Amino acid sequence: MVLLSSLSSPSTILCLLLLLQFYVALSVILLRNHHNNNNNYNNPNHRNPILQGNRTSCSLFIGSWVYDETYPFYQSASCPAVDSQFNCQLYGRPDTEYLKYRWKPANCELPRFNGLEFLLKMKGKTVMFVGDSLGRDQWESLICMISADVPKAQTQMSRLYPISTFKFLDYGVAISYYKAPYLVDIDTVQGKRVLKLDDIRGNANAWHGVDVLSFNTGHWWTHKGPLQGWDNVEAGGTMYEDMDPLMAMEKGLRTWARWVDANIDRSRTRLFFQGISPTHYNPSKWNVGASTGSCYGETIPVTTTPMTSTYPGPDLDQSNVIQKVIREMDDPPFFLDITLLSTMRKDAHPSIYSGDLNSQQRINPNKPDCSHWCLPGLPDTWNQLFYTVLFY
């Protein structure tokens, strides 16, 4: 009787009604959130708040390489985009262990790349990699990774200069590579190639209206002799026969940064800048006491990281220039800082197993390619990071 009496009191009834109202309101919110989550799957602007929170607390670019039998994402023989320059298996590389390493950040796991998800979220949109041949390496890698997940998709490819494009026609997605190794323009003046550190308009005409832009530059600034891409440098209205590479690079990057700040609508375009891709021509950097050699014969990554955290030489100097310029922009791009994790992959270069070398060069370990990367290989990890930042 006491229990029934207490339950029938006005204060108890009011509490029960308030509690019932709370549960009804909570159910409506949960149902609405469930509905919104389903609708957001195909929305390219949607960011999963839980994963977004993880990424902000996750050091994506600090970690280690772990062996993973489920790798690689694809085989070069089944990809329509791999250049002979990067097709190491086709040109006789005898080992395959280098294909089996997965990048694991120190305090999180990367989502596995999903090519179908990429196309659904990017439906009707364009992606463009702009820069030197390392950008082409990454462009071809992304095409291969997506194609492996949608093998029956209708596609179209065009390779032209300076722009090449691969289209996934069923999804209206176009992925392009625009060759601009210095980002700024090179013009021919009286028969000489002039690197114009203050002018970018010629190249930049192609970048308007792109939905996702990823830039890189680095290697060509230090090229000398027959590899140098210019005869004179023009800056501030003055013509120079030579200029300090880092000074020239900073001037060129500032021209790029001003153009981006003035011309890219960041509410429409996602913007990335890829860090310096390291070379491995000097084995003393990973093998104390070594005086000769290169990446030739290397089959496993560097497994200790103290030397990689302060990797010396132009890679570090150029990285500092890039980061300095980016920090001072009005609206900086996301910096894909792949230098350290790539420095650990002394095993992942074409070496002598490149279609760009003639038959004599391919049997000469003194002339390896320790600059570019095999496909499948390291650029697949760059794209997995690119994919993670783009969608999570």
Side-chain angles (χ1 to χ4, degrees):
M1 292 293 292
V2 174
L3 178 61
L4 289 174
S5 174
S6 64
L7 285 175
S8 61
S9 68
S11 61
T12 303
I13 293 171
L14 178 62
C15 288
L16 289 172
L17 287 173
L18 289 173
L19 186 62
L20 179 61
Q21 185 177 16
F22 168 78
Y23 278 114
V24 170
L26 180 62
S27 299
V28 170
I29 291 171
L30 290 173
L31 285 170
R32 184 181 298 159
N33 285 344
H34 177 73
H35 175 73
N36 287 342
N37 285 341
N38 286 339
N39 286 343
N40 278 329
Y41 178 78
N42 291 329
N43 181 356
N45 295 316
H46 173 64
R47 300 287 178 273
N48 184 311
I50 297 175
L51 290 173
Q52 177 77 4
N54 284 346
R55 182 165 66 77
T56 58
S57 61
C58 171
S59 301
L60 289 176
F61 308 107
I62 302 296
S64 59
W65 290 97
V66 297
Y67 193 82
D68 190 333
E69 281 287 354
T70 68
Y71 275 48
F73 290 102
Y74 58 91
Q75 298 298 325
S76 58
S78 63
C79 181
V82 178
D83 273 345
S84 60
Q85 183 178 11
F86 312 136
N87 199 336
C88 304
Q89 291 295 305
L90 179 64
Y91 286 91
R93 179 157 180 172
D95 61 305
T96 58
E97 298 295 286
Y98 72 96
L99 298 170
K100 300 289 186 180
Y101 286 94
R102 170 174 58 85
W103 177 248
K104 186 189 182 308
N107 57 348
C108 63
E109 291 285 347
L110 295 178
R112 189 171 176 89
F113 184 90
N114 185 315
L116 177 59
E117 180 187 43
F118 188 100
L119 292 175
L120 290 174
K121 290 189 173 183
M122 290 299 297
K123 192 169 185 177
K125 297 186 182 297
T126 54
V127 180
M128 183 181 288
F129 296 95
V130 180
D132 58 26
S133 53
L134 280 309
R136 180 163 56 89
D137 218 336
Q138 186 177 4
W139 171 67
E140 294 180 12
S141 160
L142 182 59
I143 294 168
C144 294
M145 293 171 76
I146 296 172
S147 297
D149 284 340
V150 288
K152 296 182 179 179
Q154 295 295 309
T155 62
Q156 183 183 79
M157 187 174 189
S158 64
R159 285 187 183 265
L160 302 170
Y161 180 86
I163 186 169
S164 298
T165 300
F166 192 97
K167 295 180 179 180
F168 291 90
L169 300 176
D170 302 326
Y171 304 89
V173 175
I175 303 174
S176 299
Y177 162 66
Y178 186 95
K179 184 176 181 179
Y182 302 102
L183 300 182
V184 292
D185 294 345
I186 297 180
D187 289 341
T188 301
V189 179
Q190 296 180 346
K192 289 187 177 292
R193 299 165 300 170
V194 178
L195 179 60
K196 297 188 165 248
L197 297 181
D198 301 325
D199 198 352
I200 202 168
R201 291 169 297 176
N203 285 331
N205 283 334
W207 309 338
H208 287 284
V210 177
D211 296 293
V212 180
L213 276 167
S214 180
F215 294 91
N216 89 288
T217 189
H219 287 201
W220 281 55
W221 295 97
T222 59
H223 286 174
K224 295 293 184 183
L227 294 178
Q228 183 172 289
W230 49 266
D231 301 305
N232 296 112
V233 177
E234 184 179 348
T238 302
M239 197 78 72
Y240 300 89
E241 291 187 357
D242 200 4
M243 184 179 287
D244 175 78
L246 287 177
M247 181 186 296
M249 181 180 180
E250 182 170 345
K251 287 180 181 291
L253 277 173
R254 291 197 180 281
T255 298
W256 166 84
R258 286 192 297 271
W259 184 90
V260 167
D261 279 337
N263 293 277
I264 296 296
D265 180 358
R266 298 301 300 281
S267 67
R268 183 191 190 285
T269 300
R270 297 287 299 277
L271 192 65
F272 296 84
F273 203 103
Q274 178 101 322
I276 298 294
S277 172
T279 61
H280 288 89
Y281 288 101
N282 185 355
S284 66
K285 299 296 185 292
W286 64 84
N287 183 10
V288 176
S291 57
T292 60
S294 62
C295 66
Y296 172 73
E298 296 291 343
T299 58
I300 59 173
V302 172
T303 54
T304 55
T305 59
M307 74 89 181
T308 61
S309 62
T310 55
Y311 193 77
D315 299 335
L316 181 61
D317 293 337
Q318 289 184 334
S319 291
N320 289 338
V321 169
I322 290 171
Q323 292 184 65
K324 176 184 176 183
V325 171
I326 286 176
R327 279 195 304 269
E328 296 173 7
M329 293 176 67
D330 294 339
D331 195 355
F334 186 95
F335 182 57
L336 287 164
D337 191 7
I338 52 86
T339 304
L340 175 60
L341 65 90
S342 303
T343 297
M344 300 168 74
R345 293 308 306 271
K346 59 185 173 62
D347 58 315
H349 295 286
S351 182
I352 62 171
Y353 308 106
S354 168
D356 255 20
L357 304 178
N358 62 42
S359 57
Q360 288 303 308
Q361 290 172 321
R362 282 201 294 273
I363 61 174
N364 182 2
N366 294 320
K367 298 289 184 181
D369 178 355
C370 301
S371 176
H372 299 98
W373 306 95
C374 295
L375 292 180
L378 175 64
D380 303 334
T381 295
W382 299 349
N383 280 320
Q384 191 175 8
L385 289 161
F386 176 62
Y387 167 85
T388 298
V389 176
L390 195 57
F391 298 129
Y392 291 91

